[in-house]
Protein backbone atom coordinates (compact mmCIF):
# COMPACT_ATOMS: atom_id res chain seq x y z
CA UNK A 1 0.00 0.00 0.00
CA UNK A 2 0.97 3.65 -0.35
CA UNK A 3 1.38 5.02 3.17
CA UNK A 4 2.31 8.44 4.55
CA UNK A 5 3.47 8.56 8.17
CA UNK A 6 3.23 11.91 9.94
CA UNK A 7 5.41 12.40 13.00
CA UNK A 8 8.72 10.59 12.69
CA UNK A 9 9.44 10.21 16.40
CA UNK A 10 10.49 6.94 17.98
CA UNK A 11 7.20 5.05 17.61
CA UNK A 12 6.34 6.59 14.24
CA UNK A 13 9.72 5.70 12.76
CA UNK A 14 9.46 2.17 14.16
CA UNK A 15 6.15 1.63 12.34
CA UNK A 16 7.51 3.22 9.16
CA UNK A 17 10.41 0.77 9.13
CA UNK A 18 8.30 -2.27 9.98
CA UNK A 19 5.78 -1.43 7.23
CA UNK A 20 8.63 -0.83 4.77
CA UNK A 21 10.00 -4.28 5.62
CA UNK A 22 6.67 -5.67 4.35
CA UNK A 23 7.21 -3.93 0.98
CA UNK A 24 4.72 -1.10 1.56
CA UNK A 25 5.61 2.27 0.03
CA UNK A 26 6.11 4.52 3.06
CA UNK A 27 6.97 8.20 2.98
CA UNK A 28 7.54 10.38 6.03
CA UNK A 29 5.91 13.76 6.61
CA UNK A 30 8.08 15.96 8.83
CA UNK A 31 8.04 19.45 10.28
CA UNK A 32 10.68 20.70 7.86
CA UNK A 33 11.01 20.49 4.08
CA UNK A 34 13.48 17.59 4.02
CA UNK A 35 13.15 15.59 0.79
CA UNK A 36 14.87 12.43 2.04
CA UNK A 37 16.16 10.94 5.27
CA UNK A 38 18.31 7.92 6.10
CA UNK A 39 17.49 6.12 9.34
CA UNK A 40 19.84 3.71 11.13
CA UNK A 41 17.71 0.98 12.74
CA UNK A 42 18.49 -1.68 15.35
CA UNK A 43 16.14 -4.65 15.78
CA UNK A 44 14.91 -5.66 19.22
CA UNK A 45 17.24 -8.62 19.64
CA UNK A 46 20.22 -7.15 17.74
CA UNK A 47 20.97 -3.80 19.38
CA UNK A 48 24.53 -3.62 18.02
CA UNK A 49 23.57 -4.33 14.39
CA UNK A 50 22.12 -1.46 12.36
CA UNK A 51 20.35 -1.45 9.00
CA UNK A 52 19.87 1.72 6.97
CA UNK A 53 16.46 2.72 5.59
CA UNK A 54 16.05 5.61 3.16
CA UNK A 55 12.69 7.40 3.24
CA UNK A 56 11.38 10.06 0.89
CA UNK A 57 9.75 12.92 2.77
CA UNK A 58 7.13 15.63 2.34
CA UNK A 59 6.07 14.81 -1.23
CA UNK A 60 2.57 16.20 -1.76
CA UNK A 61 2.04 13.99 -4.84
CA UNK A 62 2.78 10.89 -2.74
CA UNK A 63 0.31 12.22 -0.19
CA UNK A 64 -2.47 12.47 -2.79
CA UNK A 65 -1.91 8.80 -3.72
CA UNK A 66 -1.68 7.56 -0.13
CA UNK A 67 -4.23 4.92 0.80
CA UNK A 68 -3.36 5.18 4.51
CA UNK A 69 -2.08 8.15 6.51
CA UNK A 70 -0.72 7.34 9.98
CA UNK A 71 -0.49 10.21 12.48
CA UNK A 72 1.94 9.55 15.35
CA UNK A 73 2.44 13.06 16.75
CA UNK A 74 1.57 13.98 20.34
CA UNK A 75 -2.11 14.40 21.20
CA UNK A 76 -1.96 18.21 21.35
CA UNK A 77 -0.25 18.32 17.92
CA UNK A 78 -2.81 16.26 15.98
CA UNK A 79 -4.93 19.14 14.67
CA UNK A 80 -1.90 21.20 13.60
CA UNK A 81 -0.37 18.14 11.90
CA UNK A 82 -3.55 17.19 10.04
CA UNK A 83 -4.67 20.61 8.83
CA UNK A 84 -1.98 21.14 6.12
CA UNK A 85 -2.70 17.66 4.74
CA UNK A 86 -6.42 18.18 4.17
CA UNK A 87 -6.22 19.54 0.58
CA UNK A 88 -4.28 16.44 -0.51
CA UNK A 89 -6.26 13.61 1.12
CA UNK A 90 -8.80 11.72 -0.95
CA UNK A 91 -12.12 10.98 0.83
CA UNK A 92 -11.36 7.25 0.92
CA UNK A 93 -7.90 7.68 2.43
CA UNK A 94 -7.81 5.83 5.76
CA UNK A 95 -6.49 7.98 8.62
CA UNK A 96 -4.95 6.18 11.61
CA UNK A 97 -4.28 8.25 14.75
CA UNK A 98 -1.85 6.88 17.35
CA UNK A 99 -0.95 8.85 20.48
CA UNK A 100 -0.99 8.57 24.26
CA UNK A 101 -4.11 9.69 26.08
CA UNK A 102 -7.66 10.46 24.96
CA UNK A 103 -9.30 13.67 23.82
CA UNK A 104 -8.45 14.45 20.18
CA UNK A 105 -11.26 12.36 18.65
CA UNK A 106 -13.85 15.12 18.28
CA UNK A 107 -11.39 17.52 16.63
CA UNK A 108 -10.26 14.86 14.16
CA UNK A 109 -13.82 13.96 13.17
CA UNK A 110 -14.59 17.64 12.56
CA UNK A 111 -11.51 17.98 10.34
CA UNK A 112 -12.24 14.74 8.43
CA UNK A 113 -16.02 14.38 8.20
CA UNK A 114 -15.88 11.97 5.23
CA UNK A 115 -12.71 9.91 5.78
CA UNK A 116 -12.50 6.55 7.56
CA UNK A 117 -10.87 7.29 10.94
CA UNK A 118 -9.14 4.62 13.01
CA UNK A 119 -7.61 5.17 16.43
CA UNK A 120 -4.73 3.05 17.70
CA UNK A 121 -2.82 2.54 20.91
CA UNK A 122 0.42 0.62 21.23
CA UNK A 123 2.70 -0.71 23.94
CA UNK A 124 5.55 -1.25 21.49
CA UNK A 125 8.66 0.57 22.72
CA UNK A 126 11.34 2.38 20.75
CA UNK A 127 14.20 4.73 21.54
CA UNK A 128 15.48 7.47 19.25
CA UNK A 129 18.82 8.72 20.64
CA UNK A 130 19.42 10.92 17.58
CA UNK A 131 17.32 12.23 14.67
CA UNK A 132 18.59 9.43 12.43
CA UNK A 133 19.01 6.53 14.87
CA UNK A 134 16.17 4.30 16.12
CA UNK A 135 16.21 1.23 18.36
CA UNK A 136 13.31 -1.18 18.91
CA UNK A 137 13.40 -1.66 22.69
CA UNK A 138 10.28 -3.60 23.65
CA UNK A 139 7.36 -5.67 22.37
CA UNK A 140 3.78 -4.87 23.29
CA UNK A 141 0.17 -5.10 22.19
CA UNK A 142 -1.21 -2.74 19.54
CA UNK A 143 -4.97 -2.20 19.25
CA UNK A 144 -6.87 -0.51 16.41
CA UNK A 145 -10.54 0.33 16.01
CA UNK A 146 -12.98 2.56 14.16
CA UNK A 147 -14.30 5.78 15.62
CA UNK A 148 -16.66 6.60 12.74
CA UNK A 149 -18.99 4.65 10.48
CA UNK A 150 -16.70 4.88 7.44
CA UNK A 151 -14.06 2.79 9.23
CA UNK A 152 -16.25 0.07 10.73
CA UNK A 153 -15.47 -2.47 8.00
CA UNK A 154 -11.69 -1.91 7.92
CA UNK A 155 -10.49 -4.64 10.29
CA UNK A 156 -8.04 -5.75 7.58
CA UNK A 157 -5.91 -2.71 8.52
CA UNK A 158 -5.21 -4.44 11.84
CA UNK A 159 -3.96 -7.45 9.87
CA UNK A 160 -1.66 -5.17 7.87
CA UNK A 161 -0.22 -3.80 11.13
CA UNK A 162 -0.01 -7.26 12.70
CA UNK A 163 2.05 -8.67 9.83
CA UNK A 164 4.40 -5.69 10.16
CA UNK A 165 4.68 -5.73 13.95
CA UNK A 166 2.77 -8.29 16.04
CA UNK A 167 0.73 -8.53 18.15
CA UNK A 168 -1.93 -6.21 16.69
CA UNK A 169 -5.69 -6.70 17.11
CA UNK A 170 -8.84 -5.02 15.82
CA UNK A 171 -11.17 -3.83 18.58
CA UNK A 172 -14.94 -3.54 18.21
CA UNK A 173 -14.80 -0.71 20.78
CA UNK A 174 -11.42 1.01 20.62
CA UNK A 175 -12.25 3.13 23.69
CA UNK A 176 -11.80 0.08 25.92
CA UNK A 177 -8.06 -0.33 25.16
CA UNK A 178 -7.64 3.45 25.01
CA UNK A 179 -8.90 3.67 28.60
CA UNK A 180 -6.73 0.72 29.65
CA UNK A 181 -3.68 2.47 28.20
CA UNK A 182 -4.78 5.75 29.81
CA UNK A 183 -4.79 4.04 33.22
CA UNK A 184 -1.22 2.84 32.71
CA UNK A 185 -0.11 6.27 31.47
CA UNK A 186 -1.80 8.04 34.41
CA UNK A 187 0.22 5.91 36.82
CA UNK A 188 3.63 5.65 35.17
CA UNK A 189 4.15 8.79 33.10
CA UNK A 190 3.77 11.66 35.59
CA UNK A 191 5.58 9.90 38.44
CA UNK A 192 8.57 9.02 36.25
CA UNK A 193 8.57 12.54 34.80
CA UNK A 194 8.38 14.33 38.16
CA UNK A 195 11.07 12.16 39.75
CA UNK A 196 13.10 11.74 36.52
CA UNK A 197 13.41 8.00 37.08
CA UNK A 198 13.08 4.96 34.84
CA UNK A 199 9.89 2.90 34.93
CA UNK A 200 11.41 0.15 37.07
CA UNK A 201 12.11 2.58 39.91
CA UNK A 202 8.35 2.70 40.57
CA UNK A 203 8.65 -0.70 42.30
CA UNK A 204 10.20 1.12 45.27
CA UNK A 205 8.14 1.29 48.47
CA UNK A 206 7.82 5.08 48.37
CA UNK A 207 5.60 4.95 45.26
CA UNK A 208 3.17 2.18 46.26
CA UNK A 209 0.58 4.34 48.01
CA UNK A 210 0.44 6.79 45.12
CA UNK A 211 0.10 3.99 42.56
CA UNK A 212 -2.78 2.50 44.57
CA UNK A 213 -4.55 5.86 44.75
CA UNK A 214 -4.08 6.60 41.05
CA UNK A 215 -5.51 3.20 40.09
CA UNK A 216 -8.47 3.61 42.43
CA UNK A 217 -9.37 6.98 40.93
CA UNK A 218 -9.00 5.73 37.36
CA UNK A 219 -11.13 2.65 38.12
CA UNK A 220 -13.92 4.88 39.46
CA UNK A 221 -13.95 7.03 36.31
CA UNK A 222 -13.64 4.09 33.91
CA UNK A 223 -16.60 2.41 35.60
CA UNK A 224 -18.61 5.64 35.41
CA UNK A 225 -17.77 5.81 31.70
CA UNK A 226 -19.10 2.27 31.19
CA UNK A 227 -15.81 0.34 31.25
CA UNK A 228 -16.14 -1.69 34.42
CA UNK A 229 -12.84 -2.45 36.16
CA UNK A 230 -11.34 -2.48 39.64
CA UNK A 231 -8.39 -0.86 41.35
CA UNK A 232 -6.79 -4.29 41.69
CA UNK A 233 -7.12 -5.08 37.97
CA UNK A 234 -5.58 -1.77 36.94
CA UNK A 235 -2.81 -2.04 39.52
CA UNK A 236 -1.94 -5.50 38.21
CA UNK A 237 -1.70 -4.13 34.64
CA UNK A 238 0.40 -1.17 35.78
CA UNK A 239 2.78 -3.44 37.70
CA UNK A 240 3.18 -5.71 34.67
CA UNK A 241 4.12 -2.75 32.46
CA UNK A 242 6.53 -1.38 35.08
CA UNK A 243 8.32 -4.75 35.19
CA UNK A 244 8.26 -5.29 31.41
CA UNK A 245 9.67 -1.82 30.74
CA UNK A 246 11.83 -1.52 33.86
CA UNK A 247 14.84 -0.05 32.05
CA UNK A 248 12.81 2.30 29.84
CA UNK A 249 12.02 5.96 30.35
CA UNK A 250 8.43 7.04 29.76
CA UNK A 251 7.70 9.50 26.96
CA UNK A 252 6.66 12.11 29.54
CA UNK A 253 9.93 11.60 31.41
CA UNK A 254 11.83 12.34 28.19
CA UNK A 255 9.63 15.33 27.38
CA UNK A 256 10.33 16.93 30.75
CA UNK A 257 14.03 16.05 30.49
CA UNK A 258 14.26 17.73 27.09
CA UNK A 259 12.09 20.72 28.17
CA UNK A 260 9.26 19.82 25.78
CA UNK A 261 5.51 20.09 26.27
CA UNK A 262 3.88 16.83 27.43
CA UNK A 263 0.58 15.06 26.78
CA UNK A 264 -0.51 15.52 30.41
CA UNK A 265 -3.74 17.33 29.43
CA UNK A 266 -4.77 14.21 27.48
CA UNK A 267 -3.78 11.77 30.24
CA UNK A 268 -4.28 12.78 33.90
CA UNK A 269 -5.87 16.05 32.76
CA UNK A 270 -8.41 14.18 30.63
CA UNK A 271 -9.18 11.87 33.54
CA UNK A 272 -9.82 14.81 35.88
CA UNK A 273 -12.11 16.48 33.32
CA UNK A 274 -14.17 13.31 32.94
CA UNK A 275 -14.28 12.95 36.73
CA UNK A 276 -15.77 16.44 37.01
CA UNK A 277 -18.53 15.39 34.58
CA UNK A 278 -19.40 12.54 36.94
CA UNK A 279 -18.93 14.61 40.14
CA UNK A 280 -16.15 12.26 41.31
CA UNK A 281 -13.15 13.61 43.20
CA UNK A 282 -9.71 12.63 41.86
CA UNK A 283 -7.23 14.52 44.07
CA UNK A 284 -4.13 12.43 43.26
CA UNK A 285 -4.55 12.67 39.50
CA UNK A 286 -5.33 16.37 39.84
CA UNK A 287 -2.16 16.89 41.86
CA UNK A 288 -0.04 15.05 39.26
CA UNK A 289 -1.67 16.99 36.42
CA UNK A 290 -0.90 20.30 38.08
CA UNK A 291 2.65 19.26 39.03
CA UNK A 292 3.49 18.51 35.39
CA UNK A 293 1.77 21.71 34.23
CA UNK A 294 3.95 23.64 36.68
CA UNK A 295 7.10 21.93 35.38
CA UNK A 296 6.07 22.80 31.82
CA UNK A 297 5.44 26.42 32.77
CA UNK A 298 9.02 26.80 33.98
CA UNK A 299 10.20 26.06 30.42
CA UNK A 300 7.32 27.56 28.44
CA UNK A 301 6.32 30.69 30.37
Amino acid sequence: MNITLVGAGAIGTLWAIKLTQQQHNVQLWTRDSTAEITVHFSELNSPTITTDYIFSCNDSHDLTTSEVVIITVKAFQVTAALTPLLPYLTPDCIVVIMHNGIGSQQQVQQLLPHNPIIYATTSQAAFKPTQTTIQHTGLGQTSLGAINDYAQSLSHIATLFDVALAPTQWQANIYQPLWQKLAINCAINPLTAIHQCCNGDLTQACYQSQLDSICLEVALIMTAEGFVTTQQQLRHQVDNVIKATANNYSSMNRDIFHHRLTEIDYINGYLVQQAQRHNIDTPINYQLWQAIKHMESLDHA
Side-chain angles (χ1 to χ4, degrees), residues 134-148:
I134 175 81
Q135 301 165 3
H136 189 190
T137 56
L139 284 175
Q141 172 75 41
T142 301
S143 297
L144 293 91
I147 66 159
N148 65 359

Side-chain angles (χ1 to χ4, degrees), residues 67-108:
E67 299 155 274
V68 180
V69 169
I70 305 170
I71 311 287
T72 60
V73 300
K74 293 187 180 299
F76 61 84
Q77 298 170 325
V78 169
T79 299
L82 262 177
T83 301
L85 311 184
L86 298 179
Y88 304 102
L89 300 184
T90 61
D92 57 350
C93 179
I94 301 163
V95 178
V96 180
I97 312 285
M98 184 184 296
H99 62 67
N100 284 330
I102 308 176
S104 68
Q105 286 79 4
Q106 186 175 356
Q107 298 165 309
V108 170

Side-chain angles (χ1 to χ4, degrees), residues 91 127 187 216 244:
F127 178 51
L216 175 59

Side-chain angles (χ1 to χ4, degrees), residues 150-165:
Y150 299 110
Q152 292 294 338
S153 61
L154 298 178
S155 60
H156 65 278
I157 296 298
T159 303
L160 180 150
F161 275 71
D162 185 60
V163 171
L165 191 53

Side-chain angles (χ1 to χ4, degrees), residues 32-272:
D32 53 33
S33 56
T34 303
E36 186 178 276
I37 189 171
T38 300
V39 178
H40 314 293
F41 177 63
S42 300
E43 294 282 3
L44 181 61
N45 298 317
S46 306
T48 60
I49 302 171
T50 60
T51 304
D52 288 353
Y53 291 84
I54 301 173
F55 291 99
S56 62
C57 305
N58 306 306
D59 187 319
S60 56
H61 178 265
D62 284 352
L63 186 56
T64 62
T65 61
S66 290
E67 299 155 274
V68 180
V69 169
I70 305 170
I71 311 287
T72 60
V73 300
K74 293 187 180 299
F76 61 84
Q77 298 170 325
V78 169
T79 299
L82 262 177
T83 301
L85 311 184
L86 298 179
Y88 304 102
L89 300 184
T90 61
D92 57 350
C93 179
I94 301 163
V95 178
V96 180
I97 312 285
M98 184 184 296
H99 62 67
N100 284 330
I102 308 176
S104 68
Q105 286 79 4
Q106 186 175 356
Q107 298 165 309
V108 170
Q109 290 182 86
Q110 289 172 347
L111 284 173
L112 297 166
H114 305 298
N115 287 77
I117 303 170
I118 292 171
Y119 262 70
T121 180
T122 188
S123 295
Q124 294 285 347
F127 178 51
K128 195 177 182 187
T130 72
Q131 282 297 102
T132 58
T133 306
I134 175 81
Q135 301 165 3
H136 189 190
T137 56
L139 284 175
Q141 172 75 41
T142 301
S143 297
L144 293 91
I147 66 159
N148 65 359
D149 291 341
Y150 299 110
Q152 292 294 338
S153 61
L154 298 178
S155 60
H156 65 278
I157 296 298
T159 303
L160 180 150
F161 275 71
D162 185 60
V163 171
L165 191 53
T168 300
Q169 291 184 335
W170 182 259
Q171 301 288 333
N173 185 347
I174 188 59
Y175 285 97
Q176 177 81 43
L178 287 179
W179 269 101
Q180 296 285 350
K181 181 70 180 297
L182 186 83
I184 293 165
N185 287 154
C186 281
I188 294 175
N189 286 29
L191 287 176
T192 56
I194 291 166
H195 299 283
Q196 281 299 290
C197 63
C198 62
N199 294 356
D201 288 345
L202 296 185
T203 59
Q204 296 174 20
C206 58
Y207 297 112
Q208 302 316 300
S209 176
Q210 278 181 296
L211 289 170
D212 281 340
S213 296
I214 294 165
C215 290
L216 175 59
E217 291 178 4
V218 177
L220 290 172
I221 308 310
M222 283 185 65
T223 300
E225 287 284 304
F227 303 103
V228 178
T229 189
T230 66
Q231 176 196 36
Q232 291 77 16
Q233 287 174 323
L234 294 183
R235 183 61 202 271
H236 180 67
Q237 292 168 5
V238 167
D239 287 343
N240 284 344
V241 172
I242 288 171
K243 291 172 185 174
T245 62
N247 296 323
N248 294 0
Y249 290 102
S250 73
S251 58
M252 193 174 292
N253 172 298
R254 294 297 83 189
D255 287 337
I256 291 295
F257 180 81
H258 291 293
H259 308 286
R260 297 187 298 241
L261 291 172
T262 75
E263 294 175 293
I264 193 69
D265 288 341
Y266 294 82
I267 299 176
N268 304 78
Y270 180 81
L271 182 91
V272 171

